[in-house]
Every structure is written in structure tokens, then in C-alpha cells.
Amino acid sequence: MMHVLWILSCAFIASALGSRLKTPALPIQPEREPMISKGLSGCSFGGRFYSLEDTWHPDLGEPFGVMHCVMCHCEPQRSRRGKVFGKVSCRNMKQDCPDPTCDDPVLLPGHCCKTCPKGNSGRKEAESLFEFFQEKDDDLHKSYNDRSYISSEENSDRDSAAADFVAVLTGVTDSWLPSSSGVARARFTLARTSLTFSITFQRMNRPSLITFLDSEGNTAFEFRVPQADTDMICGVWKNLPKSHLRQLEAEQLRVSMTTADNKKEEIQGKIIKHRALFAETFSAILTSDEVHSGMGGIAMLTLSDTENNLHFILILQGLVPHGTSVKVPVRVKLLYRQHLLREIQANISADDSDFAEVLADLNSRELFWLSRGQLQISVETEGQNSRQISGYISGKRSCDTLQSVMSSGSALTPGKTGGVGSAVFTLHHNGSLDFQVLVAGLSSAVVGMTIEMKPRRRSKRSVLYDITADFSATEERGSGRALGSCGRVEARHIHMLLQNELFINIATAEQQESELRGQIRMLPYNGLDARQTELPVPLAGQFVSPPVRTGAAGHAWVSVDEQCHLHYEIVVNGLSKSEDTSVSAHLHGLAEIGEMDDSSTNHKRLLTGFYGQQAQGVLKDISVELLRHLDEGTAYIQVSTKMNPRGEIRGRIHVPNSCELGSRGEVVEEAEFDDLVFVRDPAELRKDPHTCFFEGEHHAHGSQWTPQYNTCFTCTCQKKTVICDPVICPALSCPHTIQPEDQCCPICDEKKESKQTTAAEKVEGDPEGCYFEGDQKMHAPGTTWHPFVPPFGYIKCAVCTCKGSTGEVHCEKLTCPPLTCSRPIRRNPSDCCKECPAEDTPPLEDDEMMQADGTRHCKFGNNYYQNSEHWHPRVPLVGEMKCITCWCDHGVTKCQKKQCPLLSCSNPIRREGKCCPECIEDFMEKEEMAKMVEKKKNWRH
């Protein structure tokens, strides 16, 4: 047990030492010992060896046991030298469980999903569909041996906490007649506290206002719809309050759309979660020919990966009148030009009008009509007063952007040329695919430009569409662009395109197979309007001064709004992670913006640090000079890395603007998807059981502040416990130091030092300092400090340095000297390294606390607990484990699983909220007894 807790603690501490905190996938990490089977490729996990492609449920040991709702997979990876190795990835499967159709589902031992007891079978069609979605999810998380197919770790740009929602909007029925014949489909994505939405509508004029309504019908947020000649609306609701976030998760929010014309149309719908959204590649909006019918619906469809089966889910509104409790028979038809192709019968009700089915074995003609948007899906009730809605099926539409960054590092044979390829795609209703491709910095002339699948074998590429004929070279060597359209994209390829399974490949005279390659990925909409109207700016190593031969490339969208604030979004590909052991090893790059020349008056601005493949944000305090350079096209955007701190890739940007007076509004820099800190209401803070009370003030759990009693300390609140750490001053190498009154640490006395500084020692264009995410402070060039990483406090065993020449923060672990004694001690609690003890020096325990004396508290994961406090542990990917209780015993965390009695039956069951299984016979008997008691109570009354 202590071994598991030690690994859990190490996982959290190791993740905290980066410039940003990252949550580990599981409390136990893949072991680093040599593999059990020498010479074989695979994964070592929890002391066991797994072959490539193996899947298993992780066993965390007692008292946690086997995590049946977590599935781990040994993914094959390929190193730069072509060696195949295994990488462990784990995911939670519980969210894929189908909803049981019975009232009292049970959880069988060794299972993850609850099922109905025997004899209570649900709709098998829906279950088979969700099983398909689960298989689909498994396929999407697998990595391919082809290095150009990004790994699961790189594919996690989309926030792991993101959730998808959908709404069907139909005419409002509050009056005698609905006020609109319109129907709309709205898709929402929640990432942290921002809710982005893509809405398409039919049979109504373009709305002017979108209103979000809370559970009581009050307006929570309004969005003014910009005028446009399209049926697509894109928008974002930023900074959702916690109360509305809870209502969104509980499916208590509604969305309404109204028009500003004479008709004053309004349609409205409930926002719900739906598991089918992640696998959807085709869709349809279903409308009625009747005026003001209040009927409507949507269809979410997807193809099987290996067979031509079309899976779909229908969400219907108004087809069955409200108040109708009986099941109503309906016919679902697949039509082509009013000719019936397929028909399915089903029963729906007003309370349960969703319907799921599979259309098996579509033939080549049906697939062709599907790709062209010519198939129609219709739902019709049976009987005398039949009602019908229908709509045409097409490729899924949204505000997301289909794009690709091509780099030499992602080529079939990875290289480092410093070239770049940038592509943007548009899929139309009729199945045609428009493309705009730009390449630059290539080693030789382009001889091939193709859209491909992942190659089945390295020697056998799977080319789908050759667009080389649309390419035109420019005057600049190694550059050119392609503009055109693929008019006959097959339904299978549309499905693969929208599932991020296609690639674009560039072949040149010197690299005739592949010099640049990139995955075509759907970039989720985040509110940046420049994506809808502008092409991205390519970023390449060849554009850096002097040019850099790198395997990385990127592109960026940059715009300036009416307040003269700069919005940016950067996508990179082919950046290799640093292999050193420094604290910032996982930091891929720092992005900055500045002028093209390298003069001493160069104006640079740090944009953001980022992980993975994306970074976005807003810069609000831009100088007049930099805005002028943006307007004149003499500015650049640059991504720097540890290997190339003076720039790895760069691109020239031109953003016309009329901001002669500089940015207007508050001087704030924000990264839109970073953690936001909100000032909470004092009354709300007092009610929070995790709040800390210190120096007469309440502080929220996880908050950080400087105490009044000593400004040279930093305090954090961790679940009612206040932890204050002194500022650890770095050792100075200069012989003369002074102690400024307004600072906590001494500094070098420059007056007594040599003042002779040659011009050659000055670095042109030095940044004013370094910004460190941990303590959220600026540090002067050349200074060193111990990093402060919430919630762990100061990391005494690491030292960070601000590189004056680049503005980059470099953190390293302290190296302790080797010791010859058998029982080394830690002389002071704040010391990082142990020493050999003197004979009269009492040793301190290894885990001695570095806080004030008192009763020892316990640290478990990211939380601190008081002595004798009990809690249920939380395990990443699984959540709170209510059947395990942990408690703090004078600084030592102890955990125990609830002891269950032995059962004599052969088929035990486990009910929701219960830790122990029970015999189904005993369960039935208890149910009968409970019903008898309830009847007796009713008789008495």
C-alpha cells in the first residue's frame, strides 16, 4: 500500500516541477526498469510485461484493486532511428457505458457498466450502437507505427476536461400557435469555463440574438449575431459562472434564438449531453412541411470503420404530442429523390423520443448519394393523423477549422529541412472539398502533392487524391501554392477526413517519397474570427535569421480587434521534446512577437508558453511601434525552444490596422484557455468547508497570497490548512552584497563591482526579464531562484535561472554530492541534500515537514489533511473511491477497503451506492419486505 502511495506522491510532485502543472494519467506510472522479455518490444507496467497492442485493466494493489473502468493499451511507437517501442496510455471507459433501460440496474462484480437484471432487457439496437461508438473510441486512441500519425499524447491538445453538448431548437409552444417553423441544431463544447457553439438553422431568417436561459428561465447570457449571408452561427460564451456550469452539466440550461424582422420568430431548445457527438461524421436537420408545427429533429450519423454500415441516432421534438404516455409507432425511411431505399419501424413516446439504429451494407450507389448530400432521412408517425419530418444528410458542419501543418519531422522518413507546409480545407454540402495549400523553404522543386491515408506498409502508400496539377511554384526557391477542389470525395473518405484520419504529403525532386507531411486535423473553434476569413501565416526554420534546419513547422492566425488588442493562435508540428532532465523538459516552446529587423530598438513581446501543438491568447498592451510594424507587414511571430532559444520557426505577419494611439482598454495580458482566478464572494467563501481563515481573512482552497506578518513569506491554502514558506534566497557569487529595504533577498552591490562593460558584452534586444508561471512573477535577467509551485510551495531541490539573452526560464534539479557514510541525515528541514552526521548531531527523519512545528498533517495527492481526518481517495480517470477510506495518522496516510462478508450464492450483484455485493435472492427479499412495510404504513393512514 505504501508503495502505491509513494508512487502516487512522486507522480504529482514530478508533474508540478514543470512550468505548468499536468495531471498524471494514473497514480501508478509505467516502470522504468528493463523490460522483462529482453529483445521484445512492449510495455512494462506495474511489474508486468505487455506485448504491443495488448490491453488490460490496471491493478493498483490493495486496497484499490483492479480498475475495471480503466482500460490501458500498449501503443506501438517508432523512434527517430526507426526502432519500435511501446508506450502505455490509459483511459476511463465509464463515460461510454450505455444508459440502462430498467429502473434498478445492478453492477456485476468485475464489470464497469451497470446492467439490468436478467429478464429486463433494454433496446438492443441502441446498445449495439453505443458498443460501436466505444469500439470507435478505442480505434481513435490507437497510435500507428507511422511516425507521421501523431501519438496519443500529442493528440491531447483538446482539453481533456472538454465536454460536448447538443440542442434541438424548435418553435416555442407557449402561445396558441408556435411562433416559428424554423429548426436549428446547436453543438456546444465546454473547455474550462468557455462554451463555444456552432449553430445551423433551416426554415427561418437569420437570427439576431441568441439567449441562454438558466433553470428558472432567467437570461444567463446574450450573444448578438453578426450579419452574414450564411446559415452558420459561430460564437463563444466566456467565463461561465460556477452556478451555470453546474446547470449545464445537469442539463438545466436552455438556448433561444430570435429574429429581428417583422415576423419576430423564436425557437428554443434544451442543452443536453450526448455520447454520439464524438463519433459523428454526417448529420441532418429534420423539418416539417407544415407551418408553425413545432416539430423538428436532428440526425447524427457515422460509418463503421470496416463495413459500409451507417449508424445513426435521431433526437426528435414535437413529433409525438406532449402528454401522450403510450408508445407511438413510427417509420424511419431512407429516400433518394422520393424513392424509398430503406425502412425501419420503431416505437417512441413524448418522454423518450430518441431513436438509434443501423442501416447495414450500404451499396455503392447509396454511398455515392450519401457523399453528394442527396440521401434524405424521414421520420413519420403511423395512424390517421400522421406527422412527418425529414432532412438531407451531408458531412457534419461546424465552426471548427480543417487544417494541416506539414513538417519535415513528420515526413515518412523524418528529416530536418526547415521547410513548412500550411493547408486549410472546406467541406461543402455536396461533398466537394476545397483546399488552399502553401509551401515554403523546401530543398528542391515540388514533384507531388497528395492527400493520403496512413500507409499500411512503409513501402506502400495509400494515395486518395493527387492535387499536384493545382500546384504553382513562386519565384522564391522552394515555395509555391495550390488552390483547387476535389469534386468527387467518397463517403468513406469524408468520414475519415472528419475523424482526423487523412494526411497531406509533399514530395520533392530530392525527397521523392516525402519531404513534408502533416495530419489533416479538425481544429476546434475558440472564438477567433480570423480563422473564418484569413489564411494562416506559415512558420518555418528557414525564415529564422540565420536559417535553422529543423524538423518543426507551424502556422498562426493573428488579428487586431477594434480595441487594438491582438488575438493569436499558433499550431505547430514536428517539435521534438527535450531529452534533458531539466524541470521544463516538457515545455515545447515560447512564442513571441516582434519586428523583423534585429536592431537594438527591436520591440519583442512574449506571447505564451505552451504544451502539445497549440497556443492561443490575447495581447492587450501593445506598443504603438509594434502595431505600426503589424500594419506595415514588418513584424514576425516566432517560436523558440531549448535547442534553439533564438528561434526555431518564424513567420512574417501583416495585419492592417488603424491603431495610431496604441491599445485601448485595460493593460492586461491573458491566455484565453489558461486557468482563470475569480474573486469569490466573502459570504460564499465562509460557507466553503475547505476555506482557510488566516489573519482575519478567508482564503479559498488552492489560493496563494503574501501574509501581512512577513512579506518575505508566501502562503497557500490547502483544505483548511495554511502553509507558509519563506522566500528562499539564492546564493550569490559576487563578493559584495547589499540588502534593499523593499526586497526579501540580498543583491550584488554593483557600485563596488567593476563598471567596465564593453559594448560587445551587451546583447541587443534583450528582454526585460523572464516570466515564471509558478510564482507568476517577472525575474530580472541573470537572477536565480527556487521555483514556487502551488500547491507544493517552494521546491528547494530545484533552481531556476532567467536567461538574459533569450528571456527563457531554465530550471534544473540540484545535484547532491556522493556520501560515504551509511546513515546520512538532513541537517536542516529546508536543506535539499543530506550530509554525513557528526557524532553529536541527532538526525532528522527523511520526511520531516518543512512547515511550522505542530501535529503532523498528511499529504495525499494534491491535498493536505489534518491529523485523524478521514476521506475517500480520488484516483485520476476514476474519481472518488467511496468504498475506500483513508485517514491521517500523525503524518502517515493509511487506507483501508471496506470489508465485505462472504456470500454463498453463485451470482452476486452490486447495487449503486453500495460497496459490497449481495445475493440477488436476498436483494429481492429485501425489496418485498420494504414494499410490505410501505403498504402497512399506507393502511394505517
Side-chain angles (χ1 to χ4, degrees), residues 735-872:
H736 304 288
T737 63
I738 57 174
Q739 178 64 58
E741 294 183 1
D742 58 342
Q743 296 184 27
C744 298
C745 296
I747 60 175
C748 293
D749 187 358
E750 297 180 357
K751 294 180 180 180
K752 294 186 179 181
E753 301 298 322
S754 174
K755 297 182 179 179
Q756 296 180 353
T757 304
T758 62
E761 292 175 332
K762 295 182 180 179
V763 181
E764 296 181 351
D766 279 355
E768 297 179 358
C770 305
Y771 180 77
F772 184 64
E773 291 281 353
D775 55 19
Q776 298 181 354
K777 295 178 181 177
M778 288 293 298
H779 297 267
T783 57
T784 59
W785 69 94
H786 291 285
F788 184 90
V789 181
F792 306 97
Y794 285 98
I795 308 299
K796 281 86 174 179
C797 294
V799 173
C800 294
T801 305
C802 175
K803 300 293 185 180
S805 59
T806 64
E808 180 187 3
V809 175
H810 183 76
C811 298
E812 291 183 341
K813 287 184 179 179
L814 291 178
T815 303
C816 295
L819 302 176
T820 57
C821 53
S822 59
R823 295 177 61 85
I825 63 169
R826 201 178 308 279
R827 191 169 299 279
N828 297 304
S830 60
D831 290 346
C832 175
C833 300
K834 294 182 179 181
E835 302 176 7
C836 288
E839 294 183 1
D840 57 345
T841 305
L844 292 172
E845 295 183 21
D846 290 351
D847 57 351
E848 184 78 28
M849 288 190 304
M850 297 183 184
Q851 276 71 41
D853 292 333
T855 305
R856 298 277 300 279
H857 60 246
C858 300
K859 181 182 176 187
F860 188 88
N862 280 343
N863 298 318
Y864 291 85
Y865 298 91
Q866 301 285 357
N867 187 47
S868 299
E869 184 177 356
H870 289 68
W871 69 94
H872 296 299

Side-chain angles (χ1 to χ4, degrees), residues 457-478:
R457 289 187 294 273
R458 180 167 293 277
S459 60
K460 187 176 181 181
R461 290 161 52 197
S462 301
V463 176
L464 302 180
Y465 305 100
D466 190 335
I467 57 175
T468 310
D470 295 297
F471 177 78
S472 300
T474 58
E475 294 181 359
E476 189 175 352
R477 182 179 178 273

Side-chain angles (χ1 to χ4, degrees), residues 666-698:
E666 56 180 340
V667 181
V668 178
E669 180 179 340
E670 78 177 42
E672 291 183 351
F673 286 84
D674 285 352
D675 292 326
L676 301 176
V677 178
F678 299 97
V679 179
R680 293 178 58 182
D681 181 51
E684 183 184 349
L685 273 177
R686 285 193 290 271
K687 296 177 184 178
D688 189 345
H690 296 158
T691 295
C692 299
F693 187 74
F694 188 78
E695 294 183 331
E697 294 182 1
H698 288 87

Side-chain angles (χ1 to χ4, degrees), residues 696-741:
E697 294 182 1
H698 288 87
H699 299 270
H701 167 65
S703 60
Q704 169 191 341
W705 71 95
T706 300
Q708 299 174 7
Y709 74 89
N710 192 332
T711 57
C712 291
F713 275 68
T714 301
C715 297
T716 57
C717 172
Q718 285 298 318
K719 216 171 186 181
K720 299 187 294 186
T721 301
V722 176
I723 303 170
C724 294
D725 281 312
V727 174
I728 307 299
C729 297
L732 301 177
S733 58
C734 51
H736 304 288
T737 63
I738 57 174
Q739 178 64 58
E741 294 183 1

Side-chain angles (χ1 to χ4, degrees), residues 82-285:
K83 184 178 179 181
V84 177
F85 62 95
K87 172 184 169 185
V88 176
S89 69
C90 300
R91 68 181 188 89
N92 192 341
M93 305 186 306
K94 196 166 186 178
Q95 61 188 5
D96 301 320
C97 291
D99 294 328
T101 56
C102 55
D103 295 330
D104 298 308
V106 295
L107 180 63
L108 298 176
H111 289 70
C112 173
C113 300
K114 294 179 184 177
T115 56
C116 295
K118 290 183 178 180
N120 192 351
S121 59
R123 179 181 293 172
K124 292 185 178 180
E125 294 86 358
E127 289 180 2
S128 65
L129 179 64
F130 289 129
E131 286 173 7
F132 162 75
F133 283 158
Q134 184 170 336
E135 293 171 5
K136 181 70 180 173
D137 194 23
D138 290 340
D139 293 339
L140 289 178
H141 281 76
K142 288 182 180 179
S143 294
Y144 294 87
N145 290 337
D146 177 16
R147 189 179 177 277
S148 61
Y149 196 93
I150 59 176
S151 69
S152 58
E153 182 176 353
E154 291 171 327
N155 202 16
S156 60
D157 297 335
R158 191 172 184 267
D159 198 321
S160 60
D164 292 325
F165 302 81
V166 70
V168 181
L169 285 70
T170 56
V172 179
T173 56
D174 291 339
S175 59
W176 288 102
L177 284 175
S179 61
S180 175
S181 301
V183 180
R185 168 226 167 90
R187 178 168 182 166
F188 308 88
T189 299
L190 177 67
R192 299 186 186 270
T193 60
S194 291
L195 186 70
T196 59
F197 50 88
S198 304
I199 303 176
T200 52
F201 56 90
Q202 292 184 13
R203 297 205 65 192
M204 67 180 299
N205 294 328
R206 185 174 176 85
S208 60
L209 182 67
I210 297 174
T211 306
F212 290 82
L213 306 172
D214 63 15
S215 56
E216 297 179 356
N218 300 319
T219 299
F221 174 72
E222 288 186 342
F223 176 80
R224 301 285 175 181
V225 180
Q227 292 183 353
D229 187 21
T230 176
D231 62 349
M232 176 74 72
I233 301 172
C234 308
V236 59
W237 177 7
K238 296 182 181 179
N239 302 336
L240 270 73
K242 285 189 175 180
S243 59
H244 291 147
L245 286 171
R246 287 191 293 266
Q247 292 182 23
L248 177 66
E249 292 289 341
E251 300 184 353
Q252 296 175 346
L253 291 184
R254 298 183 67 84
V255 61
S256 167
M257 298 201 314
T258 53
T259 61
D261 54 16
N262 296 331
K263 295 182 180 180
K264 286 291 182 183
E265 296 179 272
E266 180 182 8
I267 59 175
Q268 193 178 119
K270 182 180 180 181
I271 303 176
I272 62 172
K273 266 187 176 180
H274 213 295
R275 290 168 295 160
L277 288 166
F278 78 90
E280 177 191 21
T281 50
F282 295 88
S283 63
I285 296 179

Side-chain angles (χ1 to χ4, degrees), residues 132 302-304 307-311 358-362 492:
F132 162 75
T302 189
L303 281 173
S304 301
E307 299 175 348
N308 293 327
N309 299 334
L310 185 64
H311 301 249
V358 182
L359 297 172
D361 298 325
L362 267 65
R492 169 67 57 193

